[in-house]
């Protein structure tokens, strides 16, 4: 799939970013140029390579499954754009 | 006596210990310098009252004989570190008004060591940029200008405010973060020292996330010794970051012995780019000569996958960013732009809150992770990343450290390279490999361009061997004898 205006509109929806109709063509052109540039990786033979998923290959540490934090509702809500009765307030999602 | 703002961190600690001045006096001098340098646009938030209160508390601790590693030293903090009760913006509109209810581990470590916060410094939005031009709060001016040309230049990015503040002598040191070169490139552009430690050396907890497998915090200072002191205070294990390494932090200042006899220094042939500025090549050759003269052995090495590092980075970093930045939804903090539905509220908020470059990277990241493209792009990039890391593993079987230029050019003018994202990305051609491999790298000011602008040399070390990186950096610094200052005839 070339990164055309239809593809940009699709990924913009996935990413929840509104892109005005009038910007789709320019954006498709810019993004397609970047994707075209990264496609040079196709030259590299990676058939025998394991993907590297992090900067360090370590097993993640484990700790006891116990509560170490909490009881800070007001701190969490302190930055909310809108709140009521100890909850975040959002537009109605269920009709 | 030297002006208080001209001191190094080491010099300031010495003067404080000898009671030549108090932290309050030292901090007051810096608060005034910050106010006088507002034309640089280095700070997003100045915290003079907090700074003076912290300085007074520091003086009281010192009087009791209870002085920490950075006791009384005023620092600037990149606006990517969450600071409790103090506006934290990440250079973005979408974090409007965000005052964290918690302190990042790295800044908490600095305050525990006695440091004083001057304020929060400007940066490219979400650390995505190499010029500081993507900040919602406007670009930062480089305190340096070309000889005989007063046009403003960029300080580099993304830690551009940090670099400008330290170079302009309005902070003794600053924190930075480095995902693809964001400490080392601005350090090079402003004639200061910047070290990106090994991934895992400093906790990422409380640092606004960009690309979690690449991000790492580090100090930006005017000398290698200062970088050693500041890194010492920043580093350490943190149970709240599962990727932070549980290993003791060595005494970095002790590593600065000056003795590099017999040390093997690798020179990677792939870093000699076609069409590279002759002055960059010349500086690199000088660096080789300096290390040779100090007794090091020069070894030619090959890092064959170097040319694939930037395209690899521009898949992995946007992919991780698109996931990390999903949290900015206008519900829990920051900007909210209402819509008819919750989905439309998300879309409106994120369209208004993110700048152009951030939107571009989120969309690229979403694309390379989307169904049908994941294997072709993201998985492929992870495999090439493994090959790039392996290049270093092989090289470090033969050498102890690698010497390269820090950047392919000196600082450029504000507004240049803005039309072509890929031209901007090329700024990080020498630094980005180090993040992909998770290694430590330092940029040390080493000379001036024909226009009188600072240029840096980079040293890349083995994982968790910041000691050798600092030791050789110290030798480079001494050999280069870089004494030029911004705004002074050179």
């Amino acid at each position: 799939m070339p990164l055309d205006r239809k593809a940009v509109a699709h990924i913009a929806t996935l990413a929840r970013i509104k892109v005005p109709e009038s910007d789709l063509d320019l954006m498709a052109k810019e993004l397609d140029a970047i994707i075209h540039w990264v496609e040079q990786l196709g030259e590299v033979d990676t058939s025998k390579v394991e993907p590297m998923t992090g900067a360090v290959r370590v097993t993640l540490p484990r700790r006891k499954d116990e509560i170490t934090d909490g009881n800070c509702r007001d701190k969490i809500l302190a930055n909310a754009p809108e709140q009521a009765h100890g909850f975040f307030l959002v537009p109605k999602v269920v009709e | 006596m030297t002006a208080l703002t001209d001191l190094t961190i080491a010099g300031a600690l010495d003067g404080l210990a000898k009671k030549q001045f108090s932290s309050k006096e030292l901090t007051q001098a810096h608060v005034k310098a910050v106010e006088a340098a507002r034309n640089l646009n280095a700070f997003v938030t100045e915290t003079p009252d907090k700074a003076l209160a912290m300085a007074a508390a520091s003086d009281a601790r010192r009087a009791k004989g209870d002085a920490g590693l950075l006791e009384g030293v005023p620092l600037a903090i990149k606006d990517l570190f969450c600071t409790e009760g103090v506006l934290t913006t990440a250079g973005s509109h979408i974090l409007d008004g965000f005052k964290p209810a918690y302190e990042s581990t790295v800044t908490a470590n600095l305050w525990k060591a006695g440091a004083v916060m001057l304020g929060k410094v400007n940066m490219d939005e979400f650390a995505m940029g190499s010029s500081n031009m993507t900040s919602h709060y406007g670009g930062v001016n480089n305190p340096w200008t070309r000889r005989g040309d007063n046009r403003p230049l960029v300080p580099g990015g993304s830690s551009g405010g940090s670099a400008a503040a330290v170079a302009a002598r309005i902070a003794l040191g600053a924190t930075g973060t480095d995902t693809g070169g964001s400490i080392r490139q601005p350090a090079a552009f402003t004639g200061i020292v910047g070290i990106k430690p090994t991934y895992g050396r400093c906790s990422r907890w409380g640092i606004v996330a960009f690309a979690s497998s690449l991000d790492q915090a580090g100090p930006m200072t005017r000398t290698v010794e200062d970088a050693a002191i500041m890194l010492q205070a920043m580093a350490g294990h943190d149970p709240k970051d599962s990727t932070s390494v549980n290993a003791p932090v060595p005494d970095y200042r002790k590593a600065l012995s000056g003795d590099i006899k017999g040390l093997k220094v690798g020179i990677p042939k792939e870093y000699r780019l076609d069409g590279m500025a002759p002055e960059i090549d010349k500086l690199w050759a000088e660096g080789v000569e300096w290390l040779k003269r100090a007794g090091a052995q020069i070894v030619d090495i090959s890092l064959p996958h170097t040319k694939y590092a930037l395209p690899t980075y521009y898949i992995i970093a946007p992919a991780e960013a698109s996931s990390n930045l999903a949290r900015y939804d206008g519900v829990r903090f920051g900007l909210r732009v209402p819509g008819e539905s919750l989905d439309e509220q998300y879309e409106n908020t994120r369209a208004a809150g993110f700048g152009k470059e951030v939107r571009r990277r989120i969309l690229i990241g979403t694309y390379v992770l989307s169904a049908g493209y994941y294997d072709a792009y993201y998985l492929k990039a992870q495999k090439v990343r493994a090959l790039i890391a392996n290049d270093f593993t092989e090289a470090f079987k033969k050498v102890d450290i690698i010497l390269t230029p820090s950047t392919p050019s000196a600082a450029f003018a504000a507004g240049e390279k803005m039309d072509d994202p890929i031209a901007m990305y090329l700024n990080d051609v020498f630094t980005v490999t180090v993040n992909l491999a998770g290694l430590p790298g330092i940029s040390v000011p080493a000379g001036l361009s024909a226009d009188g602008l600072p240029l840096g040399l980079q040293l890349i070390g083995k994982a968790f061997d910041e000691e050798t990186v600092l030791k050789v950096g110290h030798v480079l610094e001494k050999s280069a004898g870089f004494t030029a200052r911004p705004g002074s005839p050179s």
Side-chain angles (χ1 to χ4, degrees):
Chain A
M1 170 171 84
L3 247 174
D4 55 13
R5 56 181 289 137
K6 203 174 142 221
V8 172
H10 176 62
I11 56 174
T13 306
L14 289 178
R16 300 290 185 275
I17 295 177
K18 185 160 278 179
V19 178
E21 284 281 319
S22 54
D23 288 2
L24 283 175
D25 284 324
L26 181 67
M27 202 155 240
K29 200 173 143 227
E30 280 181 359
L31 298 185
D32 195 54
I34 295 170
I35 288 296
H36 185 73
W37 173 65
V38 302
E39 274 171 358
Q40 60 179 294
L41 295 188
E43 299 165 18
V44 187
D45 178 7
T46 52
S47 52
K48 293 193 184 80
V49 185
E50 284 294 308
M52 183 169 165
T53 53
V56 277
R57 295 171 205 245
V58 289
T59 42
L60 285 176
R62 286 163 178 255
R63 66 167 173 84
K64 238 174 148 174
D65 184 14
E66 58 191 9
I67 296 166
T68 58
D69 204 352
N71 288 326
C72 50
R73 186 192 74 188
D74 293 347
K75 272 187 163 187
I76 290 169
L77 285 172
N79 279 292
E82 279 186 86
Q83 54 158 307
H85 315 298
F87 292 96
F88 294 109
L89 211 60
V90 295
K92 203 164 148 183
V93 286
V94 182
E95 291 303 326
Chain B
M1 200 176 77
T2 329
L4 293 178
T5 50
D6 275 344
L7 294 168
T8 59
I9 291 176
L13 287 169
D14 196 41
L16 287 164
K18 290 180 178 149
K19 310 231 180 314
Q20 288 165 347
F21 46 82
S22 65
S23 173
K24 208 160 179 189
E25 288 164 324
L26 181 67
T27 302
Q28 187 70 57
H30 281 91
V31 165
K32 276 193 186 142
V34 168
E35 284 170 10
R38 283 189 184 143
N39 62 318
L40 293 176
N41 199 29
F43 278 75
V44 173
T45 308
E46 295 172 17
T47 55
D49 296 340
K50 191 177 174 75
L52 292 172
M54 288 175 91
S58 167
D59 286 332
R61 280 194 300 271
R62 191 177 280 281
K64 280 196 303 189
D66 183 16
L69 197 57
L70 284 168
E71 196 60 60
V73 173
L75 302 174
I77 302 299
K78 187 177 184 180
D79 214 8
L80 201 64
F81 292 81
C82 286
T83 41
E84 192 174 352
V86 177
L87 183 69
T88 299
T89 70
S92 183
H93 186 30
I94 209 158
L95 273 168
D96 273 7
F98 176 59
K99 289 186 178 166
Y102 50 89
E103 188 78 27
S104 83
T105 298
V106 161
T107 48
N109 288 348
L110 289 172
W111 315 144
K112 212 165 27 184
V116 167
M117 178 165 84
L118 291 166
K120 304 293 290 290
V121 277
N122 207 340
M123 51 178 288
D124 278 298
E125 186 180 5
F126 284 108
M128 297 179 193
S130 307
S131 66
N132 218 114
M133 296 296 287
T134 73
S135 170
H136 176 65
Y137 297 90
V140 171
N141 286 341
N142 192 327
W144 293 81
T145 49
R146 290 183 187 123
R147 201 179 283 131
D149 179 351
N150 279 331
R151 273 177 305 172
L153 303 176
V154 303
S158 67
S159 311
S162 307
V166 174
R169 286 155 171 80
I170 61 178
L172 288 178
T175 59
T177 62
D178 191 315
T179 304
S182 282
I183 287 176
R184 291 159 289 157
Q185 184 253 16
F189 276 16
T190 57
I192 65 166
V193 175
I195 180 166
K196 181 202 91 75
T198 312
Y199 184 85
R201 185 52 99 185
C202 293
S203 168
R204 291 180 295 105
W205 194 82
I207 301 173
V208 176
F210 162 15
S212 304
S213 80
L214 302 162
D215 297 342
Q216 185 60 200
M220 302 174 76
T221 57
R222 292 195 288 267
T223 67
V224 173
E225 184 183 23
D226 286 2
I229 298 169
M230 209 174 141
L231 178 59
Q232 184 91 44
M234 292 167 72
H237 177 242
D238 176 13
K240 286 188 283 199
D241 173 2
S242 62
T243 62
S244 97
V245 67
N246 194 354
V249 180
D251 186 339
Y252 291 127
R253 216 171 169 181
K254 263 198 192 138
L256 310 179
S257 63
D259 180 14
I260 61 162
K261 276 200 188 64
L263 202 86
K264 294 198 181 81
V265 180
I267 308 298
K269 63 173 189 227
E270 290 80 5
Y271 282 56
R272 190 155 283 118
L273 304 178
D274 290 340
M276 190 158 83
E279 56 194 20
I280 302 284
D281 214 22
K282 188 169 153 266
L283 185 78
W284 196 10
E286 268 176 345
V288 168
E289 208 42 54
W290 292 329
L291 295 184
K292 228 193 256 179
R293 221 175 294 158
Q297 193 186 330
I298 305 300
V299 182
D300 287 323
I301 57 165
S302 173
L303 299 167
H305 296 91
T306 299
K307 68 175 276 208
Y308 300 109
L310 273 173
T312 301
Y313 176 84
Y314 277 97
I315 293 174
I316 289 172
E320 295 185 13
S322 75
S323 306
N324 274 326
L325 271 59
R327 75 191 68 179
Y328 302 100
D329 55 8
V331 172
R332 290 159 298 157
F333 38 71
L335 183 74
R336 164 180 286 196
V337 180
E340 292 294 313
S341 62
L342 184 60
D343 266 329
E344 201 182 64
Q345 180 178 292
Y346 294 152
E347 291 185 338
N348 291 346
T349 300
R350 290 163 64 80
F354 292 134
K356 194 174 177 201
E357 180 63 22
V358 174
R359 289 198 304 269
R360 186 186 281 145
R361 294 204 198 182
I362 292 175
L363 293 177
I364 288 282
T366 305
Y367 180 68
V368 300
L369 289 176
S370 63
Y373 299 93
Y374 184 93
D375 285 4
Y377 296 110
Y378 187 61
L379 197 67
K380 181 79 186 180
Q382 285 187 317
K383 288 179 176 177
V384 181
R385 182 179 184 181
L387 292 172
I388 290 164
N390 190 55
D391 284 355
F392 282 103
T393 308
E394 289 301 313
F396 281 125
K397 287 178 184 165
K398 288 179 236 154
V399 298
D400 302 300
I401 197 148
I402 295 169
L403 176 74
T404 77
S406 299
T407 56
S409 75
F412 47 89
E416 271 174 31
K417 309 191 191 204
M418 291 302 285
D419 303 331
D420 180 1
I422 295 170
M424 185 65 88
Y425 298 168
L426 289 175
N427 266 289
D428 295 332
V429 64
F430 298 136
T431 48
V432 74
T433 49
V434 179
N435 300 78
L436 289 168
L439 302 173
I442 195 171
S443 177
V444 177
L448 292 175
S449 72
D451 294 337
L453 295 178
L455 297 170
L457 285 173
Q458 176 180 236
L459 292 159
I460 306 167
K462 295 176 185 170
F464 298 107
D465 189 14
E466 282 82 6
E467 286 169 286
T468 303
V469 172
L470 289 162
K471 179 164 76 177
V472 184
H474 187 60
V475 170
L476 267 188
E477 178 184 51
K478 288 266 174 298
S479 311
F482 187 89
T483 54
R485 295 177 50 158
S488 62
S490 44

